[in-house]
Amino acid sequence: MKSLAEKIAPDTIKKLIPYQSARRIGGNGHLWLNANELESSCRYEGQQGDYQRYPDFLPDQLASAYLKYCQTHTEVIGCNAVAVRGADEAIDLLVRTFCQPSVDKIMVCPPTYAMYEFCADSIAAETIKVPLLPSFQLDMAAINAQLDDVNILFLCTPNNPTGNIISQADIISLLEFAKDKALVVVDEAYIEFAPQTTVVGLIKQYPNLVVIRTLSKAFGLASIRCGFLLADESVMDLVTRLIAPYPIADPTAEVALAALTEKGIKQMNAQTDELITVREWFAGELNQLEIVEQVFCSSTNFVLVKFNTPTCMYQYLCSKGIITRNQVHEPALSNCVRITIGSKDSMSETLLALKEMEAEKI
Ligand SMILES: Cc1ncc(COP(=O)(O)O)c(C=O)c1O
């Protein structure tokens, strides 16, 4: 029987023969003269390793290390992992693999991460928007009513920029409903801040579920550009036809593998706990300010704050050298600013700037 992935993927993708890079073709020789690399090379100043060879086309060791890490929170069976250049590349790959340009559609639930729509726009795929309810939960009836028309539904939990967890019961109900209709892609970029809420363990039961992860957030490795796509084999088979010939650079794989050791995961957990302590303290302090209308409950490394001032708080904070993320473009988030949680010193400085403003009644 045809998988959903096969059913919805455009013919061009199904017919695509993966690019035969030298590493993909492989071989068993002792002289490797097939990729126009240098056999040996000088080391430039400060360079630690040797990098003259192309990396693996799909670094298995990294994918296995990531799957093992996933097992720490939930049983993960029947699920495949592939490393990509950040969660952003995973989003782009999914859109290009499962949407025919100018024909197919995706669905998003704003306010949410803007890349889903951006990637769809880049191939002229239409984005159907079903806004979150005022509680920032899914509008199930409205989603269900339009699910027939889309190839991919993108959900984000914990959600950026609202910071809340999307109900797992709702996600499961959508997975059921979308079984023969659409892929449900759950972006878990911030999952380490609420690890028990992951849906990755549901992939075996729902081959239409795809989970996106990243090392950019809780692991603190945004600059190495490493993320993961977790999915059923039927999804992976198609996605890996389109993936770049060498998606992960060797220095990236080295750092990522170190982060995914038992010691690395322990370090990440400790820094996550510390960050959560600062977040909760900062949110509590914000709640005391008269200029703050609401601090939304967060399960991430940021807080969404609604101010009640006529002044644009984003601009005010910019004038103090504090750069936050303005949310005025979101109809549901007027007067809201998203503030990333930094060190206690950084958050104290931010609080001080806000208190000064309150005192001066700017
Ligand atoms: C929800 C969400 N998904 C994905 C990303 C991108 O992550 P990466 O750095 O792995 O590309 C971000 C970055 O802010 C994000 O907030």
Side-chain angles (χ1 to χ4, degrees), residues 86-88 91 113 116 156 160 187 189-190 214 216-217 225-226:
D88 282 344
I91 297 164
Y113 189 47
Y116 317 131
C156 184
N160 175 11
D187 183 343
Y190 299 94
T214 180
S216 295
K217 306 298 176 185
R225 308 307 299 130
C226 186

Side-chain angles (χ1 to χ4, degrees), residues 291 307 309 311-324 326 337 349-362:
I291 55 172
F307 291 94
T309 52
T311 317
C312 170
M313 292 308 291
Y314 163 76
Q315 269 165 8
Y316 167 74
L317 287 169
C318 275
S319 75
K320 298 284 176 185
I322 299 167
I323 315 302
T324 60
N326 206 358
V337 173
E349 188 180 328
T350 307
L351 268 176
L352 195 67
L354 293 171
K355 281 178 183 166
E356 274 172 19
M357 193 220 187
E358 186 162 273
E360 288 168 21
K361 291 206 170 47
I362 295 171

Side-chain angles (χ1 to χ4, degrees), residues 208-220:
N208 60 331
L209 169 63
V210 181
V211 174
I212 295 175
R213 296 282 194 90
T214 180
L215 299 187
S216 295
K217 306 298 176 185
F219 278 92

Side-chain angles (χ1 to χ4, degrees), residues 58-59 62-67 69-70 80-91 93-94 187-190 192 210-217 219 221-230 236 239 243 247-249 252-253 255-257 260:
L58 289 176
L62 188 51
S64 307
Y66 197 77
L67 279 175
Y69 157 66
C70 290
N80 297 257
V82 70
V84 287
R85 288 166 295 197
D88 282 344
E89 185 178 43
I91 297 164
L93 265 173
L94 287 164
D187 183 343
E188 294 190 340
Y190 299 94
E192 283 80 10
V210 181
V211 174
I212 295 175
R213 296 282 194 90
T214 180
L215 299 187
S216 295
K217 306 298 176 185
F219 278 92
L221 293 173
S223 99
I224 71 166
R225 308 307 299 130
C226 186
F228 294 88
L229 212 149
L230 301 150
M236 283 310 184
V239 165
I243 203 164
I248 301 292
T252 292
V255 176
L257 279 170
L260 292 167

Side-chain angles (χ1 to χ4, degrees), residues 280-301:
E280 293 309 297
W281 165 79
F282 182 64
E285 292 290 312
L286 285 176
N287 266 320
Q288 319 263 323
L289 301 180
E290 269 176 34
I291 55 172
V292 169
E293 187 173 318
Q294 189 171 0
V295 184
F296 294 92
C297 202
S298 170
S299 297
T300 63
N301 66 337

Side-chain angles (χ1 to χ4, degrees), residues 1-247:
M1 204 177 71
K2 249 190 192 180
S3 66
L4 173 82
E6 225 187 319
K7 226 167 88 181
I8 63 170
D11 283 343
T12 43
I13 303 295
K14 282 188 281 207
K15 285 186 199 147
L16 200 61
I17 296 164
Y19 172 71
Q20 298 300 299
S21 68
R23 285 290 168 279
R24 198 161 196 151
I25 295 168
N28 283 315
H30 65 282
L31 289 182
W32 287 85
L33 306 175
N34 62 341
N36 300 344
E37 308 140 319
L38 292 190
E39 227 176 12
S40 66
S41 174
C42 58
R43 282 194 177 178
Y44 301 98
E45 208 178 323
Q47 182 182 328
Q48 302 290 325
D50 289 327
Y51 299 124
Q52 72 273 23
R53 295 290 191 185
Y54 282 105
D56 283 349
F57 80 97
L58 289 176
D60 277 346
Q61 210 190 341
L62 188 51
S64 307
Y66 197 77
L67 279 175
K68 190 167 166 229
Y69 157 66
C70 290
Q71 301 278 3
T72 50
H73 296 296
T74 182
E75 195 181 11
V76 183
I77 34 174
C79 157
N80 297 257
V82 70
V84 287
R85 288 166 295 197
D88 282 344
E89 185 178 43
I91 297 164
D92 187 50
L93 265 173
L94 287 164
V95 168
R96 287 190 297 121
T97 305
F98 294 105
C99 294
Q100 188 175 340
S102 309
V103 174
D104 293 325
K105 298 175 191 172
I106 68 157
M107 185 186 284
V108 301
C109 303
T112 193
Y113 189 47
M115 274 302 280
Y116 317 131
E117 184 179 359
F118 174 84
C119 291
D121 283 352
S122 76
I123 63 156
E126 191 187 324
T127 299
I128 295 181
K129 294 183 190 179
V130 179
L132 293 175
L133 299 168
S135 61
F136 295 151
Q137 288 300 324
L138 302 174
D139 185 341
M140 295 294 284
I143 294 175
N144 282 338
Q146 296 178 79
L147 215 47
D148 278 345
D149 298 335
V150 305
N151 283 20
I152 309 178
L153 163 63
F154 280 100
L155 302 175
C156 184
T157 182
N159 187 37
N160 175 11
T162 56
N164 64 301
I165 294 161
I166 301 295
S167 150
Q168 194 171 109
D170 284 355
I171 297 178
I172 293 173
S173 150
L174 284 173
L175 284 166
E176 271 301 330
F177 193 72
K179 249 181 186 167
D180 304 316
K181 297 178 182 167
L183 284 181
V184 177
V185 176
V186 179
D187 183 343
E188 294 190 340
Y190 299 94
I191 199 66
E192 283 80 10
F193 299 98
Q196 309 309 334
T197 66
T198 181
V199 293
V200 82
L202 297 173
I203 289 174
K204 185 174 168 45
Q205 197 179 342
Y206 297 104
N208 60 331
L209 169 63
V210 181
V211 174
I212 295 175
R213 296 282 194 90
T214 180
L215 299 187
S216 295
K217 306 298 176 185
F219 278 92
L221 293 173
S223 99
I224 71 166
R225 308 307 299 130
C226 186
F228 294 88
L229 212 149
L230 301 150
D232 180 69
E233 208 178 324
S234 56
V235 173
M236 283 310 184
D237 170 50
L238 290 158
V239 165
T240 53
R241 291 181 196 205
L242 217 61
I243 203 164
Y246 306 107

